[in-house]
Amino acid sequence: METNNQYALITGGTSGIGYELAKIFAEKGYNLVLVARTEDDLSTTANEFRGLYGVNVIPIARDLFQPFAAFDVYDEVKAKGITVNVLVNDAGQGVYGKFIETDITQQLDIIQLNISSLTVLTYLFLKDMVARNEGKILQLASIVSEIPAPLQAVYGPTKQYILSFTEALINEVKDTNVTITALQPGPTDTDFFNKAGAQNSKIVKETKLADPAEVARDGYEALMKGD
């Protein structure tokens, strides 16, 4: 496989939709910067993609629940002299249950991950992209960006933020060659529901969950078209 000497940085790139997106980028010859919390998961995924596709894969283990982690990711990428041509903000998490019965510190972590870390990464890499007049960003919103989400009372608004934020930025960069795309999957067959404690929820039991590989393909194609 010929690499195209471009780099895609993907958060949450070791599982679910993020993993499937990383696989597509690697298939297309992109080198990867994968950001996730767990060294072991990163190492396994990096070795898999290097072996299958012959691309360069740089693992960065950072916990984006931490307030300064997103700044650290950017600094590490810059220190390695890498230009990020595509940023995929996939990492996100939710908690399932009545708001007052959930752990408030866990809810605050979700706001940090889904909103603050995403905002920092977008800010830092978008500045570079606009300066170069080249680049693409894919933001993982959700179908719940459009509707209130009882039992996911914090997660839902974080995804509404991502959609509104992305739509505003699309307008701000319309006179550049930088494009920003929001992907809004419905319920998808990933580890999200386990992490959110929602294995027994009505959504999981009564909905046909989407295939993360198909969701990733749709997102990749929209991103490449600049939709």
Side-chain angles (χ1 to χ4, degrees), residues 126-147:
L126 182 60
K127 278 184 98 160
D128 288 349
M129 289 176 181
V130 170
R132 292 195 313 269
N133 200 27
E134 174 274 330
K136 293 179 178 298
I137 298 177
L138 182 64
Q139 312 281 40
L140 260 288
S142 163
I143 202 72
V144 301
S145 318
E146 310 276 0
I147 48 173

PDB file of all heavy atoms in Angstrom, residues 126-147:
ATOM      1  N   LEU A 126      -7.372  23.459  13.941  1.00  0.00           N
ATOM      2  CA  LEU A 126      -8.041  24.300  12.940  1.00  0.00           C
ATOM      3  C   LEU A 126      -7.217  25.551  12.639  1.00  0.00           C
ATOM      4  O   LEU A 126      -7.128  25.982  11.484  1.00  0.00           O
ATOM      5  CB  LEU A 126      -9.447  24.668  13.410  1.00  0.00           C
ATOM      6  CG  LEU A 126     -10.281  25.514  12.435  1.00  0.00           C
ATOM      7  CD1 LEU A 126     -10.483  24.803  11.099  1.00  0.00           C
ATOM      8  CD2 LEU A 126     -11.641  25.868  13.055  1.00  0.00           C
ATOM      9  N   LYS A 127      -6.602  26.141  13.662  1.00  0.00           N
ATOM     10  CA  LYS A 127      -5.739  27.318  13.422  1.00  0.00           C
ATOM     11  C   LYS A 127      -4.646  26.982  12.412  1.00  0.00           C
ATOM     12  O   LYS A 127      -4.379  27.748  11.486  1.00  0.00           O
ATOM     13  CB  LYS A 127      -5.089  27.779  14.741  1.00  0.00           C
ATOM     14  CG  LYS A 127      -5.973  28.647  15.597  1.00  0.00           C
ATOM     15  CD  LYS A 127      -5.214  29.138  16.819  1.00  0.00           C
ATOM     16  CE  LYS A 127      -4.682  30.531  16.597  1.00  0.00           C
ATOM     17  NZ  LYS A 127      -4.363  31.240  17.852  1.00  0.00           N
ATOM     18  N   ASP A 128      -4.028  25.807  12.597  1.00  0.00           N
ATOM     19  CA  ASP A 128      -2.964  25.388  11.672  1.00  0.00           C
ATOM     20  C   ASP A 128      -3.524  25.145  10.274  1.00  0.00           C
ATOM     21  O   ASP A 128      -2.891  25.506   9.268  1.00  0.00           O
ATOM     22  CB  ASP A 128      -2.298  24.105  12.186  1.00  0.00           C
ATOM     23  CG  ASP A 128      -1.437  24.353  13.413  1.00  0.00           C
ATOM     24  OD1 ASP A 128      -1.188  25.523  13.745  1.00  0.00           O
ATOM     25  OD2 ASP A 128      -1.014  23.358  14.048  1.00  0.00           O
ATOM     26  N   MET A 129      -4.693  24.524  10.212  1.00  0.00           N
ATOM     27  CA  MET A 129      -5.296  24.223   8.904  1.00  0.00           C
ATOM     28  C   MET A 129      -5.642  25.506   8.146  1.00  0.00           C
ATOM     29  O   MET A 129      -5.382  25.616   6.943  1.00  0.00           O
ATOM     30  CB  MET A 129      -6.560  23.359   9.089  1.00  0.00           C
ATOM     31  CG  MET A 129      -6.275  21.931   9.514  1.00  0.00           C
ATOM     32  SD  MET A 129      -7.816  21.017   9.813  1.00  0.00           S
ATOM     33  CE  MET A 129      -7.163  19.420  10.319  1.00  0.00           C
ATOM     34  N   VAL A 130      -6.230  26.458   8.847  1.00  0.00           N
ATOM     35  CA  VAL A 130      -6.591  27.723   8.194  1.00  0.00           C
ATOM     36  C   VAL A 130      -5.321  28.451   7.733  1.00  0.00           C
ATOM     37  O   VAL A 130      -5.286  29.015   6.636  1.00  0.00           O
ATOM     38  CB  VAL A 130      -7.462  28.592   9.127  1.00  0.00           C
ATOM     39  CG1 VAL A 130      -7.641  29.997   8.554  1.00  0.00           C
ATOM     40  CG2 VAL A 130      -8.828  27.939   9.342  1.00  0.00           C
ATOM     41  N   ALA A 131      -4.268  28.407   8.536  1.00  0.00           N
ATOM     42  CA  ALA A 131      -3.001  29.049   8.152  1.00  0.00           C
ATOM     43  C   ALA A 131      -2.418  28.411   6.886  1.00  0.00           C
ATOM     44  O   ALA A 131      -1.854  29.101   6.030  1.00  0.00           O
ATOM     45  CB  ALA A 131      -1.996  28.957   9.301  1.00  0.00           C
ATOM     46  N   ARG A 132      -2.590  27.091   6.745  1.00  0.00           N
ATOM     47  CA  ARG A 132      -2.099  26.379   5.547  1.00  0.00           C
ATOM     48  C   ARG A 132      -3.107  26.429   4.407  1.00  0.00           C
ATOM     49  O   ARG A 132      -2.785  26.069   3.278  1.00  0.00           O
ATOM     50  CB  ARG A 132      -1.884  24.883   5.854  1.00  0.00           C
ATOM     51  CG  ARG A 132      -0.802  24.504   6.790  1.00  0.00           C
ATOM     52  CD  ARG A 132      -0.493  22.998   6.694  1.00  0.00           C
ATOM     53  NE  ARG A 132      -1.665  22.136   6.705  1.00  0.00           N
ATOM     54  CZ  ARG A 132      -2.212  21.610   7.796  1.00  0.00           C
ATOM     55  NH1 ARG A 132      -1.716  21.860   8.993  1.00  0.00           N
ATOM     56  NH2 ARG A 132      -3.260  20.812   7.695  1.00  0.00           N
ATOM     57  N   ASN A 133      -4.358  26.779   4.748  1.00  0.00           N
ATOM     58  CA  ASN A 133      -5.484  26.750   3.798  1.00  0.00           C
ATOM     59  C   ASN A 133      -5.716  25.334   3.263  1.00  0.00           C
ATOM     60  O   ASN A 133      -5.982  25.123   2.091  1.00  0.00           O
ATOM     61  CB  ASN A 133      -5.271  27.732   2.637  1.00  0.00           C
ATOM     62  CG  ASN A 133      -6.593  28.078   1.940  1.00  0.00           C
ATOM     63  OD1 ASN A 133      -7.647  28.029   2.545  1.00  0.00           O
ATOM     64  ND2 ASN A 133      -6.517  28.409   0.663  1.00  0.00           N
ATOM     65  N   GLU A 134      -5.644  24.373   4.186  1.00  0.00           N
ATOM     66  CA  GLU A 134      -5.813  22.962   3.799  1.00  0.00           C
ATOM     67  C   GLU A 134      -6.138  22.164   5.054  1.00  0.00           C
ATOM     68  O   GLU A 134      -5.527  22.356   6.094  1.00  0.00           O
ATOM     69  CB  GLU A 134      -4.511  22.450   3.173  1.00  0.00           C
ATOM     70  CG  GLU A 134      -4.442  20.971   2.841  1.00  0.00           C
ATOM     71  CD  GLU A 134      -4.001  20.073   3.990  1.00  0.00           C
ATOM     72  OE1 GLU A 134      -3.222  20.525   4.856  1.00  0.00           O
ATOM     73  OE2 GLU A 134      -4.456  18.918   4.032  1.00  0.00           O
ATOM     74  N   GLY A 135      -7.116  21.261   4.952  1.00  0.00           N
ATOM     75  CA  GLY A 135      -7.401  20.364   6.063  1.00  0.00           C
ATOM     76  C   GLY A 135      -8.869  20.017   6.160  1.00  0.00           C
ATOM     77  O   GLY A 135      -9.730  20.674   5.566  1.00  0.00           O
ATOM     78  N   LYS A 136      -9.141  18.952   6.918  1.00  0.00           N
ATOM     79  CA  LYS A 136     -10.518  18.485   7.115  1.00  0.00           C
ATOM     80  C   LYS A 136     -10.695  18.065   8.567  1.00  0.00           C
ATOM     81  O   LYS A 136      -9.775  17.496   9.172  1.00  0.00           O
ATOM     82  CB  LYS A 136     -10.824  17.280   6.217  1.00  0.00           C
ATOM     83  CG  LYS A 136     -10.838  17.592   4.718  1.00  0.00           C
ATOM     84  CD  LYS A 136     -11.134  16.344   3.897  1.00  0.00           C
ATOM     85  CE  LYS A 136     -11.187  16.670   2.399  1.00  0.00           C
ATOM     86  NZ  LYS A 136     -12.254  17.632   2.060  1.00  0.00           N
ATOM     87  N   ILE A 137     -11.885  18.330   9.102  1.00  0.00           N
ATOM     88  CA  ILE A 137     -12.213  17.904  10.468  1.00  0.00           C
ATOM     89  C   ILE A 137     -13.539  17.167  10.441  1.00  0.00           C
ATOM     90  O   ILE A 137     -14.507  17.627   9.830  1.00  0.00           O
ATOM     91  CB  ILE A 137     -12.293  19.105  11.436  1.00  0.00           C
ATOM     92  CG1 ILE A 137     -10.941  19.822  11.517  1.00  0.00           C
ATOM     93  CG2 ILE A 137     -12.737  18.652  12.829  1.00  0.00           C
ATOM     94  CD1 ILE A 137     -10.933  21.071  12.387  1.00  0.00           C
ATOM     95  N   LEU A 138     -13.577  16.005  11.123  1.00  0.00           N
ATOM     96  CA  LEU A 138     -14.816  15.248  11.287  1.00  0.00           C
ATOM     97  C   LEU A 138     -15.160  15.215  12.774  1.00  0.00           C
ATOM     98  O   LEU A 138     -14.354  14.761  13.591  1.00  0.00           O
ATOM     99  CB  LEU A 138     -14.653  13.818  10.762  1.00  0.00           C
ATOM    100  CG  LEU A 138     -15.896  12.929  10.823  1.00  0.00           C
ATOM    101  CD1 LEU A 138     -17.008  13.466   9.927  1.00  0.00           C
ATOM    102  CD2 LEU A 138     -15.560  11.483  10.433  1.00  0.00           C
ATOM    103  N   GLN A 139     -16.338  15.734  13.109  1.00  0.00           N
ATOM    104  CA  GLN A 139     -16.799  15.766  14.501  1.00  0.00           C
ATOM    105  C   GLN A 139     -17.906  14.727  14.685  1.00  0.00           C
ATOM    106  O   GLN A 139     -18.870  14.693  13.921  1.00  0.00           O
ATOM    107  CB  GLN A 139     -17.387  17.153  14.851  1.00  0.00           C
ATOM    108  CG  GLN A 139     -16.532  18.352  14.454  1.00  0.00           C
ATOM    109  CD  GLN A 139     -15.388  18.637  15.404  1.00  0.00           C
ATOM    110  OE1 GLN A 139     -14.739  17.722  15.896  1.00  0.00           O
ATOM    111  NE2 GLN A 139     -15.119  19.902  15.659  1.00  0.00           N
ATOM    112  N   LEU A 140     -17.757  13.902  15.713  1.00  0.00           N
ATOM    113  CA  LEU A 140     -18.781  12.905  15.995  1.00  0.00           C
ATOM    114  C   LEU A 140     -19.878  13.528  16.848  1.00  0.00           C
ATOM    115  O   LEU A 140     -19.711  13.693  18.056  1.00  0.00           O
ATOM    116  CB  LEU A 140     -18.173  11.698  16.722  1.00  0.00           C
ATOM    117  CG  LEU A 140     -17.885  10.477  15.849  1.00  0.00           C
ATOM    118  CD1 LEU A 140     -19.154   9.769  15.413  1.00  0.00           C
ATOM    119  CD2 LEU A 140     -17.062  10.838  14.618  1.00  0.00           C
ATOM    120  N   ALA A 141     -20.958  13.923  16.198  1.00  0.00           N
ATOM    121  CA  ALA A 141     -22.143  14.362  16.936  1.00  0.00           C
ATOM    122  C   ALA A 141     -23.005  13.108  17.145  1.00  0.00           C
ATOM    123  O   ALA A 141     -22.473  12.034  17.396  1.00  0.00           O
ATOM    124  CB  ALA A 141     -22.869  15.455  16.158  1.00  0.00           C
ATOM    125  N   SER A 142     -24.304  13.221  17.020  1.00  0.00           N
ATOM    126  CA  SER A 142     -25.180  12.077  17.249  1.00  0.00           C
ATOM    127  C   SER A 142     -26.574  12.476  16.836  1.00  0.00           C
ATOM    128  O   SER A 142     -26.902  13.659  16.753  1.00  0.00           O
ATOM    129  CB  SER A 142     -25.163  11.697  18.734  1.00  0.00           C
ATOM    130  OG  SER A 142     -26.269  10.872  19.054  1.00  0.00           O
ATOM    131  N   ILE A 143     -27.411  11.485  16.626  1.00  0.00           N
ATOM    132  CA  ILE A 143     -28.809  11.776  16.338  1.00  0.00           C
ATOM    133  C   ILE A 143     -29.446  12.530  17.517  1.00  0.00           C
ATOM    134  O   ILE A 143     -30.369  13.317  17.338  1.00  0.00           O
ATOM    135  CB  ILE A 143     -29.581  10.475  16.000  1.00  0.00           C
ATOM    136  CG1 ILE A 143     -30.839  10.770  15.197  1.00  0.00           C
ATOM    137  CG2 ILE A 143     -29.894   9.658  17.223  1.00  0.00           C
ATOM    138  CD1 ILE A 143     -30.585  11.181  13.769  1.00  0.00           C
ATOM    139  N   VAL A 144     -28.899  12.335  18.744  1.00  0.00           N
ATOM    140  CA  VAL A 144     -29.460  13.059  19.898  1.00  0.00           C
ATOM    141  C   VAL A 144     -29.067  14.535  19.894  1.00  0.00           C
ATOM    142  O   VAL A 144     -29.499  15.281  20.765  1.00  0.00           O
ATOM    143  CB  VAL A 144     -29.096  12.425  21.275  1.00  0.00           C
ATOM    144  CG1 VAL A 144     -29.586  11.006  21.383  1.00  0.00           C
ATOM    145  CG2 VAL A 144     -27.619  12.515  21.562  1.00  0.00           C
ATOM    146  N   SER A 145     -28.246  14.953  18.893  1.00  0.00           N
ATOM    147  CA  SER A 145     -28.007  16.397  18.736  1.00  0.00           C
ATOM    148  C   SER A 145     -29.304  17.128  18.420  1.00  0.00           C
ATOM    149  O   SER A 145     -29.395  18.338  18.598  1.00  0.00           O
ATOM    150  CB  SER A 145     -27.056  16.677  17.564  1.00  0.00           C
ATOM    151  OG  SER A 145     -26.001  15.786  17.516  1.00  0.00           O
ATOM    152  N   GLU A 146     -30.280  16.400  17.889  1.00  0.00           N
ATOM    153  CA  GLU A 146     -31.512  17.020  17.379  1.00  0.00           C
ATOM    154  C   GLU A 146     -32.668  16.976  18.378  1.00  0.00           C
ATOM    155  O   GLU A 146     -33.673  17.639  18.193  1.00  0.00           O
ATOM    156  CB  GLU A 146     -31.965  16.287  16.094  1.00  0.00           C
ATOM    157  CG  GLU A 146     -30.878  16.112  15.040  1.00  0.00           C
ATOM    158  CD  GLU A 146     -30.716  17.329  14.147  1.00  0.00           C
ATOM    159  OE1 GLU A 146     -31.447  18.306  14.343  1.00  0.00           O
ATOM    160  OE2 GLU A 146     -29.845  17.278  13.254  1.00  0.00           O
ATOM    161  N   ILE A 147     -32.543  16.129  19.410  1.00  0.00           N
ATOM    162  CA  ILE A 147     -33.698  15.882  20.308  1.00  0.00           C
ATOM    163  C   ILE A 147     -33.225  15.797  21.756  1.00  0.00           C
ATOM    164  O   ILE A 147     -32.089  15.416  22.011  1.00  0.00           O
ATOM    165  CB  ILE A 147     -34.394  14.549  19.945  1.00  0.00           C
ATOM    166  CG1 ILE A 147     -33.346  13.421  19.798  1.00  0.00           C
ATOM    167  CG2 ILE A 147     -35.236  14.677  18.681  1.00  0.00           C
ATOM    168  CD1 ILE A 147     -33.896  12.035  19.616  1.00  0.00           C
TER     169      ILE A 147
END
